[in-house]
Amino acid sequence: MEDFFAACGHLYELAEVPLAVCDGEGRYLASWPALAPDTIRAEVVRMLLQDFQLQGRDEAHPLILYGEPGFFSGVARLGPDRYCLAGPAGPLSHSRQEVVAFCAPAVEPPRLQEYCTLLMNTPLTTLSRMRSLVCLLVRLAGGPAVEPEQVLLCDNTALGPRGSRALQQELFQNREEILPHVPGAFESAICDAVAQGSMETLARRLTVPDAGRNGRMSADALRQTKYTFVGFVTLVTRAAVRGGLPVETAYSLSDVYCQRMDGLADPEQVNRLLYTCVVDFCQRVAQVREGAGRSVLVRSCLEYITLHLHEPLRLEDLAVRCGVSVRTLTARFRREMGMSLNAYIHTERTREACYLLEHTDHSLADVAFFLNYPSQSYFTQVFRRYQGCTPAQYRSRPGGPR
């Protein structure tokens, strides 16, 4: 096992995908990079191992689980009471808020920000690469030769678009029969809405019935639905590229949805996933178009702030990283964003604080510390200014969390 641990260390240096070895109870025995033993909750690891067993996997048949907002996690059995975990890693870039939302249920609160930073810095990884990585891990542990086709992909997430589950459900209910009835005019209308990044237009197009029917490609209802799914997603992907979504992002997203669809066994699940896909593409195009009018300087500054909300963000340091003076950076930022740079930083930090207060058990002092505020009292003062109430009031508001 020591030789395998050494090999994992070298493999992590090459692939930069997090790796870990655990026992059957979900306890970490080693990890790369090295994590504190209490970073990942043991019950979460046990759920991964339970999924492995429920899918009937063994040493020769590893498992890859997919979870929103686009992460793969590999599970390989190394022998009695030993498992290797790879990931999370995926083919799409994510905002820090999305990463925090993904990690919060699995990571102990004191380690959350550190682990989120790790995932933010993990290189983009395709499903094919994850499968190859898992196969290599089994071989390095002295296990059987495993072909990538023997690695099962399992969609282990609730179907729902990013931030719009209620909207997706409403649209689905309004056009329950969309997949069997997709005329050319309807396809064009949907693709135009996606290319515009307009959720309002998309909602109107999805809720207005059209006449017409697709040609039947298979007598099997599930296969017919899947064929239609692939064709429609291809059109939507091209529309998103026309709308400004980077080609690599668009086609990686298309691959992820088609891979998820491939594992479904019910036409209605495929229908729901199509809605998830279309809304997701439209939202991503909207985000790109929202920033299209911003200069490279301001976009670079915004990206750095997003990735380093929990670190010191001094104007002098931001200006140096952007290669301009503080005066130039602050003036350009205010002109393009309509607010000061400091105000934007506080706005983003307090928004993340809202998420932490709503979805984690962090104390107010911990939240202040994570977001790099010097004291809880100052954090409370800033939070009240930008969110209209104190952190304690936000957490205890009627209908709020916990």
Side-chain angles (χ1 to χ4, degrees):
M1 188 60 72
E2 289 183 3
D3 290 342
F4 177 68
F5 284 3
C8 285
H10 294 310
L11 189 56
Y12 173 71
E13 290 181 4
L14 289 172
E16 298 183 73
V17 173
L19 302 173
V21 174
C22 67
D23 63 18
E25 296 301 316
R27 294 183 291 260
Y28 271 27
L29 305 177
S31 62
W32 302 269
L35 300 174
D38 62 344
T39 299
I40 307 296
R41 292 171 175 158
E43 60 267 26
V44 174
V45 181
R46 286 197 294 270
M47 289 175 62
L48 294 178
L49 303 185
Q50 185 179 44
D51 284 336
F52 183 92
Q53 295 160 0
L54 290 174
Q55 294 295 333
R57 303 282 90 189
D58 55 27
E59 287 87 344
H61 300 86
L63 175 69
I64 291 179
L65 295 164
Y66 175 85
E68 288 286 10
F71 285 104
F72 299 121
S73 297
V75 185
R77 186 171 180 176
L78 306 180
D81 201 42
R82 288 291 184 274
Y83 295 85
C84 190
L85 309 178
L92 304 172
S93 298
H94 303 292
S95 69
R96 189 172 187 86
Q97 184 176 8
E98 288 176 318
V99 174
V100 170
F102 174 76
C103 294
V107 180
E108 293 294 346
R111 310 291 183 186
L112 181 60
Q113 296 301 326
E114 175 187 358
Y115 193 76
C116 288
T117 299
L118 168 65
L119 292 197
M120 293 291 292
N121 292 326
T122 297
L124 299 183
T125 304
T126 63
L127 175 61
S128 176
R129 292 184 64 189
M130 279 294 290
R131 278 182 161 141
S132 297
L133 178 60
V134 171
C135 293
L136 181 57
L137 287 167
V138 173
R139 289 297 287 161
L140 289 173
V146 179
E147 296 298 326
E149 295 76 17
Q150 296 173 281
V151 182
L152 175 68
L153 172 67
C154 179
D155 188 348
N156 195 35
T157 183
L159 299 183
R162 302 157 61 245
S164 299
R165 183 172 299 174
L167 172 62
Q168 189 269 346
Q169 180 65 22
E170 180 180 348
L171 297 181
F172 179 80
Q173 293 299 332
N174 276 284
R175 284 194 61 98
E176 190 173 0
E177 297 298 323
I178 179 174
L179 274 176
H181 305 79
V182 188
F186 177 74
E187 290 177 345
S188 298
I190 295 300
C191 289
D192 287 344
V194 170
Q196 296 167 19
S198 173
M199 287 301 301
E200 293 79 8
T201 303
L202 180 64
R204 290 198 301 273
R205 298 295 180 262
L206 288 175
T207 54
V208 176
D210 286 293
R213 178 180 293 272
N214 264 345
R216 181 165 294 279
M217 294 172 280
S218 173
D220 179 81
L222 177 60
R223 189 173 293 116
Q224 166 77 15
T225 305
K226 288 188 173 184
Y227 287 160
T228 307
F229 180 101
V230 172
F232 198 64
V233 169
T234 299
L235 296 176
V236 170
T237 301
R238 292 171 181 167
V241 172
R242 294 199 306 273
L245 194 65
V247 173
E248 183 176 350
T249 298
Y251 283 97
S252 292
L253 190 63
S254 174
D255 289 346
V256 166
Y257 276 109
C258 287
Q259 289 156 3
R260 290 177 62 187
M261 176 275 295
D262 193 47
L264 299 179
D266 186 309
E268 183 175 347
Q269 291 178 328
V270 178
N271 291 6
R272 291 182 184 278
L273 186 61
L274 179 67
Y275 276 82
T276 299
C277 176
V278 172
V279 172
D280 193 355
F281 267 109
C282 192
Q283 288 177 327
R284 290 178 186 269
V285 172
Q287 291 173 356
V288 170
R289 292 171 72 90
E290 180 182 348
R294 296 172 186 157
S295 64
V296 173
L297 172 62
V298 170
R299 290 203 303 271
S300 176
C301 185
L302 292 172
E303 181 179 356
Y304 185 84
I305 291 170
T306 298
L307 294 175
H308 299 85
L309 276 178
H310 66 298
E311 300 173 13
L313 288 170
R314 298 172 61 247
L315 299 187
E316 294 80 2
D317 296 334
L318 284 170
V320 169
R321 289 182 177 278
C322 294
V324 296
S325 67
V326 171
R327 182 176 180 179
T328 298
L329 178 61
T330 54
R332 181 75 66 84
F333 193 94
R334 182 182 288 276
R335 183 166 66 249
E336 294 186 23
M337 297 297 295
M339 69 175 71
S340 72
L341 187 47
N342 274 327
Y344 178 81
I345 292 172
H346 285 312
T347 298
E348 292 304 297
R349 279 179 166 161
T350 55
R351 283 178 180 171
E352 181 154 357
C354 287
Y355 180 85
L356 294 173
L357 293 168
E358 187 168 354
H359 296 283
T360 76
D361 293 318
H362 293 315
S363 68
L364 301 188
D366 281 344
V367 173
F369 175 76
F370 291 153
L371 297 175
N372 205 56
Y373 285 108
S375 67
Q376 181 180 333
S377 60
Y378 180 61
F379 165 61
T380 298
Q381 176 185 341
V382 172
F383 190 94
R384 179 189 287 129
R385 177 180 178 184
Y386 287 91
Q387 299 298 330
C389 63
T390 68
Q393 289 169 338
Y394 181 86
R395 175 169 272 176
S396 62
R397 70 195 189 285
R402 308 191 188 286

